[in-house]
Amino acid sequence: MREIFKQEIEQLGLDLVSMAEQMSTGIEKATTALETADLTLAEQVIDADERIDEIQHSIDEQAVSLLARQQPVATDLRVVVTALRLSSTLERMGDLARHVADVARGRYPESAAQGPARDVLLQMATQAAKVGTQTVHLLQTHDLGLAASIESEDEVLDRLHRTSFEVVLDDSSELTRQQLVDVVLLGRYLERFGDHGVSVARRISFLVTGDLTNAVAAAETARTSEGA
Amino acid sequence: MREIFKQEIEQLGLDLVSMAEQMSTGIEKATTALETADLTLAEQVIDADERIDEIQHSIDEQAVSLLARQQPVATDLRVVVTALRLSSTLERMGDLARHVADVARGRYPESAAQGPARDVLLQMATQAAKVGTQTVHLLQTHDLGLAASIESEDEVLDRLHRTSFEVVLDDSSELTRQQLVDVVLLGRYLERFGDHGVSVARRISFLVTGDLTNAVAAAETARTSEGA
């Protein structure tokens, strides 16, 4: 019984990694689609999001089935409940990558990252993709150095987000209405992506260290300061 | 043992209702703060969000403790796992109410809902507040008529959201850059608020009917179409 339980917990972990990998590929492709106005890539991200949702359903079913059959306690219970929460966060990250790809597709054959905000948007997307990659490695290794790194990458992302508002609010920046809307929405999607990465980082830290301060902080990362 | 379990499940339900009530008060006050540029109300919403987060932590602790001590199966397990998910969704709705209040506070002594987009923004906020109220009643009564009603109110909210983009993208609408940013962000916050209401509606439907189609749909309400 115990052996099966261990295998099932390992499978949950593998599925979370697989989900994170697809999410990470999604944000990378969305970043390139944004930069190069690549319609095919954008559509790949949009299609792949369904696969991410399917993995989430499978993880959630496995986790609830584990709770029912194995009735874990203590650390085991914490692992299963954390898996439920991580799957939900990774699903949101996948959605946000898809939103970015949606905007890229919507502006095709133009690039959605144009004009005076192009640089900051591409920097934000690249930064989000970095958070995506580190999230995968964190789930693979549980290396808390990566958790700390995700937090600092997210701070860079937040700074870039503030810069994007400076560009938008500067009346001398030549932006069409559509470009203004795109900068605000893409900025919001990418900033939220980073927040969710931080939430994963804190949940894994909690799992590894049992430090509740991090758990509370994780619950609070959904909070973001007002956009502008 | 069984009696204590029943009491604990009831307490979870009461706490979820209390959390929803505070969230609902938050979005109502944020709507008024947006309309009348009422700084005091806006700050009340911002302060009250901490209380919502505290209730969430308490619910999550109770739920995990219940899983560990009572090891529920079948319907009971479904109720506890749903409570964990609902608390997370209600917390996000509280955050979004706070984001709206943040924008209202940021524009004080002006109203953040100004110019040609004022009407549509106030309609969206009013619509979101309606979703908030119905969410409370749904959690109190588990009346599936309310779940259906939340879905249709959310459709109205989505239509208003599209209208807000029409106003913003119309070069003849006289909007400052700040107003443009505010319309896009407030629109996004309020639209997401509605989505989360629908997610609550579908989870409660699943709990009541056991119909998995709704559960799958609930997992998918996080998905929203591209903003513009």
Side-chain angles (χ1 to χ4, degrees):
Chain A
M1 192 72 169
R2 180 71 206 171
E3 195 46 44
I4 293 174
F5 178 70
K6 226 186 118 200
Q7 280 171 19
E8 289 190 329
I9 287 275
E10 278 169 14
Q11 189 56 51
L12 263 187
L14 291 174
D15 287 353
L16 283 169
V17 168
S18 155
M19 198 178 168
E21 281 168 346
Q22 304 223 16
M23 164 284 283
S24 173
T25 304
I27 190 73
E28 271 174 32
K29 286 186 177 175
T31 299
T32 309
L34 203 59
E35 185 170 1
T36 62
D38 187 324
L39 186 63
T40 311
L41 271 186
E43 287 179 342
Q44 281 175 14
V45 179
I46 294 162
D47 293 343
D49 188 42
E50 260 183 50
R51 177 77 195 109
I52 296 180
D53 293 348
E54 282 164 16
I55 308 180
Q56 186 200 11
H57 299 156
S58 155
I59 290 173
D60 289 358
E61 272 172 29
Q62 281 176 69
V64 173
S65 158
L66 252 169
L67 289 174
R69 287 178 297 106
Q70 307 277 2
Q71 312 203 319
V73 294
T75 307
D76 292 338
L77 175 58
R78 204 163 69 184
V79 169
V80 179
V81 171
T82 301
L84 277 172
R85 287 170 167 158
L86 289 176
S87 81
S88 159
T89 302
L90 294 172
E91 190 265 342
R92 273 309 292 157
M93 293 173 90
D95 278 346
L96 290 164
R98 184 171 54 78
H99 288 341
V100 172
D102 278 333
V103 177
R105 182 175 64 168
R107 299 306 154 258
Y108 179 82
E110 304 289 317
S111 161
Q114 271 199 336
R118 177 174 168 87
D119 280 356
V120 69
L121 278 178
L122 294 181
Q123 283 172 40
M124 279 192 84
T126 305
Q127 196 63 23
K130 207 183 278 184
V131 168
T133 311
Q134 293 187 348
T135 301
V136 175
H137 294 157
L138 174 62
L139 289 170
Q140 283 168 332
T141 63
H142 285 202
D143 169 359
L144 294 192
L146 284 163
S149 172
I150 289 171
E151 301 241 8
S152 22
E153 301 298 357
D154 181 58
E155 280 167 26
V156 177
L157 195 42
D158 287 345
R159 273 201 297 280
L160 290 166
H161 190 217
R162 285 192 291 276
T163 304
S164 77
F165 282 116
E166 284 165 21
V167 175
V168 164
L169 293 175
D170 178 356
D171 284 318
S172 70
S173 336
E174 287 195 21
L175 291 159
T176 65
R177 289 282 174 99
Q178 185 67 65
Q179 285 168 349
L180 280 166
V181 169
D182 288 345
V183 176
V184 176
L185 284 181
L186 288 169
R188 174 78 183 157
Y189 299 150
L190 294 165
E191 180 241 334
R192 288 296 296 154
F193 187 95
D195 288 342
H196 286 297
V198 169
S199 166
V200 172
R202 293 190 181 163
R203 291 201 187 284
I204 295 292
S205 301
F206 174 53
L207 211 55
V208 173
T209 65
D211 178 355
L212 197 64
T213 319
N214 273 320
V216 171
E220 281 169 2
T221 50
R223 303 156 140 275
T224 50
S225 60
E226 160 204 4
Chain B
M1 193 70 168
R2 180 72 205 170
E3 195 48 43
I4 292 174
F5 178 70
K6 224 185 121 200
Q7 279 171 21
E8 289 190 330
I9 287 276
E10 278 171 13
Q11 188 57 51
L12 263 187
L14 291 174
D15 287 353
L16 283 168
V17 168
S18 154
M19 198 176 167
E21 281 169 345
Q22 304 223 16
M23 164 285 283
S24 172
T25 304
I27 191 70
E28 271 175 32
K29 285 186 177 176
T31 299
T32 309
L34 204 60
E35 183 171 2
T36 62
D38 187 324
L39 186 62
T40 311
L41 271 186
E43 288 179 342
Q44 281 175 13
V45 178
I46 295 161
D47 293 343
D49 188 42
E50 261 184 50
R51 177 76 195 110
I52 295 179
D53 294 347
E54 282 164 17
I55 308 181
Q56 186 199 10
H57 298 157
S58 155
I59 288 173
D60 289 358
E61 273 172 30
Q62 283 176 69
V64 173
S65 159
L66 252 170
L67 289 174
R69 287 178 296 104
Q70 307 276 3
Q71 312 202 318
V73 293
T75 306
D76 292 339
L77 175 59
R78 203 163 70 184
V79 169
V80 179
V81 171
T82 301
L84 277 171
R85 288 171 165 158
L86 290 176
S87 81
S88 160
T89 303
L90 294 172
E91 191 265 343
R92 274 309 294 158
M93 293 174 91
D95 278 347
L96 290 164
R98 183 171 54 78
H99 288 342
V100 172
D102 277 334
V103 177
R105 181 176 64 170
R107 300 306 153 257
Y108 179 81
E110 304 288 317
S111 163
Q114 271 199 335
R118 178 176 168 86
D119 280 357
V120 69
L121 279 178
L122 293 181
Q123 282 172 40
M124 279 192 84
T126 305
Q127 196 64 21
K130 208 184 276 185
V131 169
T133 311
Q134 293 186 347
T135 301
V136 175
H137 294 158
L138 173 62
L139 289 170
Q140 283 168 332
T141 62
H142 285 201
D143 168 0
L144 294 191
L146 284 163
S149 172
I150 288 171
E151 300 242 10
S152 23
E153 300 296 358
D154 180 57
E155 280 167 27
V156 177
L157 196 42
D158 287 344
R159 273 202 296 279
L160 290 167
H161 190 216
R162 287 192 290 276
T163 305
S164 77
F165 282 115
E166 285 166 20
V167 174
V168 164
L169 292 174
D170 178 357
D171 283 318
S172 71
S173 338
E174 287 195 21
L175 290 159
T176 65
R177 289 283 174 99
Q178 185 67 66
Q179 285 168 349
L180 279 166
V181 170
D182 288 346
V183 176
V184 176
L185 284 180
L186 288 169
R188 174 78 183 157
Y189 299 150
L190 294 165
E191 181 241 332
R192 289 296 297 153
F193 187 95
D195 288 341
H196 287 296
V198 170
S199 165
V200 172
R202 293 189 181 164
R203 290 202 187 285
I204 295 291
S205 300
F206 175 52
L207 211 55
V208 173
T209 65
D211 177 355
L212 197 65
T213 319
N214 273 321
V216 172
E220 281 168 3
T221 50
R223 303 154 141 278
T224 51
S225 60
E226 157 204 7

